Amino acid sequence: MLITNANLEALRVAFKTSFQQAFDQVETYHTRVATTVPSTSGANIYGWLKDLPGMREWIGQRVIKSVGENAYTLQNKPFENTIGVKRDNIEDDELGQYDMLFAMMGETAAQHPDKLVFDALAKGFESECFDGQAYFDADHPTTTKDGKETTYSNIITGSEVPWFFMKAKGKIKPLIYQQRKKAEFVSMDKPTDEPVFNRKEFVYGVDTREAAGYSFPQLAIGAKTALDATSLKEARTMLREMKGDQGRVLNVAGDTLVVPPELEDTARELLLAERNAAGATNTLQGTAELLVVPYLTA
């Protein structure tokens, strides 16, 4: 193949097409558990209310709920993936291998928000949320109906493979996916570009700017105990009993069980089987949706 502007343009289109077709075919999971928040700067500062806002009887003047003192900053990070195509390979028409490489680039770019979000979920036992505690923690601060300081828990401790039960339906989800820049296919493929001139290498890549973090702890339970009917019912009850400031009932109904592949069979038995191991009616059947996430594999 001759190195001409027309041929280089056709090559760029072919590589981008392979990338985009693969990108568009990827099934992603992060939107099931994370609210997508657009970003227009280097970071988003979330001045969270102390808890989920609620209604009150209007007596006298309105009670204005201002943005709380706890500011949670989520810094956007840049990510890239780059492929170099040797000039000699273009001239010799040895390009078959690159179609697969650019398809793989498209797949990994599409999957990257999943990786960010579920990495954050897995690290929720150590990483802080807006109140300064680990997202999954036993002593998140709040107040009682009488205004006294108290705490609440959204963790079930143990040493088993972690799993998660959450309220994931609705606009406000337990996690945040913050998008500053969508995945963009870029190239340095002019004969005068530095890598081409100095190294005889045409360069094509994708880059993004994005981040993942945490919403309200009251929306999810992180568990490290064995997944069984007893522990799942405990997680469900914990969400149901969640209260906000001044003891206000939040009415959080769990609807999604998130597990790694090694817990898939157990989770399916709990949520899909008509009868339990003892032959009795399975009262958990159909009570939540199952989301099996390969990114959670240890």
Side-chain angles (χ1 to χ4, degrees), residues 121-233:
L121 181 62
K123 294 175 181 176
F125 297 96
E126 297 85 27
S127 298
E128 290 184 1
C129 63
F130 78 97
D131 64 7
Q133 303 294 112
Y135 183 66
F136 296 116
D137 198 77
D139 55 356
H140 289 285
T142 187
T143 57
T144 67
K145 187 176 182 179
D146 300 326
K148 297 180 180 179
E149 293 184 358
T150 186
T151 61
Y152 68 90
S153 172
N154 69 335
I155 186 173
I156 303 175
T157 58
S159 57
E160 303 293 330
V161 176
W163 53 273
F164 310 90
F165 189 61
M166 60 183 65
K167 181 185 183 299
K169 294 182 179 180
K171 187 173 180 62
I172 301 176
K173 301 179 186 296
L175 292 130
I176 297 169
Y177 169 61
Q178 182 173 289
Q179 188 178 71
R180 176 66 179 90
K181 179 183 179 182
K182 294 181 180 180
E184 180 183 11
F185 187 88
V186 294
S187 62
M188 294 184 69
D189 58 352
K190 296 179 181 178
T192 54
D193 284 339
E194 185 276 331
V196 182
F197 185 82
N198 284 329
R199 304 193 304 275
K200 297 198 304 179
E201 190 171 44
F202 294 80
V203 176
Y204 305 84
V206 60
D207 60 85
T208 66
R209 289 175 67 193
E210 51 198 350
Y214 307 104
S215 175
F216 297 105
Q218 296 101 322
L219 298 180
I221 303 296
K224 288 188 174 181
T225 189
L227 176 59
D228 55 27
T230 300
S231 59
L232 183 54
K233 289 178 181 178

Side-chain angles (χ1 to χ4, degrees), residues 228-230 233 266 268-285:
D228 55 27
T230 300
K233 289 178 181 178
T266 300
R268 287 189 177 279
E269 288 182 9
L270 288 171
L271 295 180
L272 301 178
E274 293 183 2
R275 297 191 176 276
N276 60 27
T281 300
N282 178 18
T283 59
L284 288 171
Q285 183 187 21

